[in-house]
Amino acid sequence: MNPLTRLFLYLLFSFSTLLSNDALLLYLHIMAVLILILYKKHHWEEWKIYTRPFWIYFPLTGVLFLCISFLVSSRPVPVILLDVFFATIRLCGLVSIMTLYLVESRTQDTLLALRSLWYTSKIKFHWFDKLVLFFEMTIRFFPSVQEQWRHVERSQKALSIRIPKSTLKKVTQIARFIPDFILLNLEKTETITQGMIMRGYGQHSPRSVYPYIQFKPIDFVWWISITIAVFGVHSFVQI
């Protein structure tokens, strides 16, 4: 399946979950999420690590919203409790399904598929090439920047530089080191820029792409059929 089609399916299902006002429809969405998580059980460990903070955050948010509703709303208590419960369930389903997508899918593949589709269209918008290139460079070099920052932190410990305990002092210390950190990466930025110019970046639009990920007719069928199915189900429930 094309990475763009996979992304569309997950986004559309998340959107459908948020729009599920009927209890039965929401129950079916949650059941579908649980079945998908069980089917992708080889991603459990990563999924649990990424979603763990939300299992604390969402209930606390629900309690806060409940308290505010009691103070400012004149609606009956059972209705408020039901609305907060459904809203929390929707958010949990949304986070669960999109976290599963992030765990099992590679962003680089999605960008390659997007560039392949753009290259096939032959539309010449240089700003779009720049935008995609920005995301590609961010994804490619962000791990390297993280590793350099860890190296700076290890160097500070080796020099016996005390790490402050309070959050404000930590932020202040990090802000002092950021200019030096940027200067250390200027030379690498210049090298990357020269390499891109030597490879002909900016001379042709749209840029060619490798590997080329074809957007097949079956992908159009998926997009159309799933869209009709989702909106059809919600329209049927409303009737």
Side-chain angles (χ1 to χ4, degrees), residues 197-210:
I197 294 175
M198 292 175 65
R199 291 182 180 182
Y201 172 74
Q203 298 178 8
H204 303 282
S205 181
R207 292 184 298 144
S208 59
V209 55
Y210 181 83

Side-chain angles (χ1 to χ4, degrees), residues 46-198:
E46 291 181 87
W47 180 84
K48 287 191 295 185
I49 292 173
Y50 286 114
T51 58
R52 188 176 299 158
F54 293 100
W55 306 129
I56 300 174
Y57 172 75
F58 283 151
L60 291 177
T61 305
V63 172
L64 179 62
F65 181 74
L66 191 64
C67 295
I68 296 175
S69 299
F70 283 149
L71 294 174
V72 301
S73 177
S74 58
R75 303 177 69 185
V77 174
V79 175
I80 295 176
L81 290 173
L82 197 61
D83 287 344
V84 172
F85 176 74
F86 280 170
T88 304
I89 294 298
R90 290 191 198 98
L91 289 176
C92 289
L94 171 65
V95 169
S96 298
I97 193 67
M98 290 311 298
T99 302
L100 186 62
Y101 168 78
L102 293 175
V103 167
E104 73 167 352
S105 303
R106 296 193 306 171
T107 308
Q108 189 66 28
D109 291 342
T110 304
L111 290 175
L112 283 173
L114 181 61
R115 282 184 56 196
S116 299
L117 183 62
W118 185 256
Y119 181 74
T120 304
S121 69
K122 302 298 182 182
I123 300 175
K124 295 183 179 181
F125 286 152
H126 193 56
W127 63 266
F128 184 83
D129 284 337
K130 290 182 178 180
L131 181 64
V132 174
L133 179 64
F134 169 77
F135 286 110
E136 287 181 329
M137 299 288 283
T138 302
I139 294 170
R140 182 176 300 178
F141 291 104
F142 185 71
S144 176
V145 173
Q146 282 185 313
E147 183 59 32
Q148 289 183 7
W149 185 258
R150 294 191 190 100
H151 181 71
V152 171
E153 291 180 336
R154 289 194 294 266
S155 301
Q156 293 175 3
K157 292 179 180 179
L159 294 173
S160 300
I161 299 177
R162 294 182 178 180
I163 299 177
K165 296 181 179 180
S166 66
T167 304
L168 181 59
K169 290 183 179 180
K170 285 182 180 180
V171 172
T172 304
Q173 187 183 61
I174 291 173
R176 290 175 180 174
F177 283 109
I178 285 179
D180 296 332
F181 186 73
I182 293 175
L183 290 175
L184 289 173
N185 286 275
L186 282 178
E187 185 177 354
K188 180 184 291 186
T189 304
E190 185 66 25
T191 303
I192 294 173
T193 303
Q194 290 297 328
M196 291 171 59
I197 294 175
M198 292 175 65

